[in-house]
Amino acid sequence: MEFQRRGVMLVIASPSGAGKSSISRALFGADPNIKLSVSVTTRARRTDEVDGKHYHFIDVPTFKRMQADGELLESAEVHGNFYGTPRAHVEEQLAAGNDILFDIDYQGTLQLYRNSRKDMVTVFILPPSIKELRARLERRAQDSVGTIEKRLQNARDEMDHFHEYDYVIVNEDLEASTQRVRSILVSSRLERDRQLNLSSFVKDLQSQIDSL
Ligand code: 5GP
């Protein structure tokens, strides 16, 4: 039996290249109740990215205006570019009882904690080794060599933040890691406080006993 419930704000964070985007896509593709939060960014679009699907690509003045007008739930500068989460879509989906998946960094996670901690479940993905992390960044081959070095240095700093997350997964195998995140989500949906009609359901069960 499924009760009406509050949506889960599922945050998946990791250093670039640890596999978070692949895990997010796999989760999203398999479950109609999961909606992606599509961020705005001032970063240049990569060739395989689609505007409105991977990001909303915007210029810096538009970003600043959205930030000033309170249209972003959180925002951060990452690798020299601005990123932010549009508020309206998140609020609509949560109200509809859908879960939302966020691919944001630790700065954004800490900002969301301030107002939404009870709705959030956060997962930090680590690469199995730096050799593997570098290989994944190079396979992606969309960033220049200088950018890859910068991302590795940022990965080092980003890893300091693992203790701010509820769960940590070392991503050796995409399928196994996706399954682990799915298990976390399934458990989170069953948290008592997310299930909205439990009291009346239990009362109803009790009254059935009383009338036996
Ligand atoms: P990329 O440029 O590789 O797509 O993303 C770089 C980093 O920015 C990743 O760690 C990603 O999680 C983070 N990021 C993407 N969108 C947002 C956002 O809306 N807010 C924050 N705080 N970080 C984001």
Side-chain angles (χ1 to χ4, degrees), residues 20 39 43 46 55 74 76 83-85 103-105 108 151:
K20 134 194 86 174
S39 299
R43 157 164 91 54
R46 297 181 185 132
Y55 284 104
E74 61 74 35
Y83 296 82
T85 300
D103 175 344
I104 60 176
D105 80 331
R151 282 174 184 258

Side-chain angles (χ1 to χ4, degrees), residues 101-149:
L101 189 55
F102 296 85
D103 175 344
I104 60 176
D105 80 331
Y106 69 90
Q107 305 174 77
T109 308
L110 293 179
Q111 288 173 52
L112 290 188
Y113 277 156
R114 276 185 224 140
N115 292 319
S116 309
R117 185 66 184 101
K118 67 179 185 322
D119 289 328
M120 293 167 69
V121 176
T122 62
V123 183
F124 197 80
I125 310 287
L126 285 170
S129 67
I130 297 310
K131 189 164 168 251
E132 179 60 28
L133 181 68
R134 179 188 277 277
R136 286 182 195 165
L137 287 173
E138 284 170 359
R139 266 202 303 279
R140 194 151 83 184
Q142 300 191 349
D143 299 311
S144 65
V145 173
T147 306
I148 289 174
E149 290 311 318

Side-chain angles (χ1 to χ4, degrees), residues 21 25 57 59 67 71 73 80 84 86 89 94 96 101 108 125 129 133 153 189 192 200 212:
S21 302
R25 257 177 264 129
F57 294 94
D59 58 15
Q67 207 175 28
E71 291 177 24
L73 212 48
H89 178 249
L94 284 180
L101 189 55
I125 310 287
S129 67
L133 181 68
Q153 282 311 311
R189 286 172 173 168
R192 187 194 55 226
S200 56
L212 285 177

Side-chain angles (χ1 to χ4, degrees), residues 11 24 28 42 45 56 60-61 66 72 84 88 91 93 105 123 125 137 148 154 175 178 196 199 202 205:
V11 175
S24 303
F28 171 66
T42 61
R45 189 175 64 81
H56 300 288
V60 175
M66 291 181 81
L72 301 178
E91 290 178 351
Q93 294 306 326
D105 80 331
V123 183
I125 310 287
L137 287 173
I148 289 174
N154 281 324
E175 212 168 297
T178 305
L196 299 180
S199 297
V202 170
L205 290 175

Side-chain angles (χ1 to χ4, degrees), residues 20-90:
K20 134 194 86 174
S21 302
S22 313
I23 293 173
S24 303
R25 257 177 264 129
L27 270 180
F28 171 66
D31 188 330
N33 288 325
I34 303 178
K35 307 293 172 190
L36 277 186
S37 169
V38 180
S39 299
V40 293
T41 183
T42 61
R43 157 164 91 54
R45 189 175 64 81
R46 297 181 185 132
T47 46
D48 65 340
E49 288 178 325
V50 177
D51 189 25
K53 184 175 172 212
H54 297 90
Y55 284 104
H56 300 288
F57 294 94
I58 59 173
D59 58 15
V60 175
T62 306
F63 181 88
K64 296 281 181 198
R65 190 211 39 84
M66 291 181 81
Q67 207 175 28
D69 290 351
E71 291 177 24
L72 301 178
L73 212 48
E74 61 74 35
S75 58
E77 189 177 341
V78 187
H79 311 140
N81 297 301
F82 296 113
Y83 296 82
T85 300
R87 179 189 298 278
H89 178 249
V90 172

Side-chain angles (χ1 to χ4, degrees), residues 5-10 93-100 118-120 189 194:
R5 62 179 179 84
R6 292 170 71 83
V8 178
M9 294 170 74
L10 179 64
Q93 294 306 326
L94 284 180
N98 286 320
D99 304 317
I100 310 210
K118 67 179 185 322
D119 289 328
M120 293 167 69
R189 286 172 173 168
R194 284 186 207 278

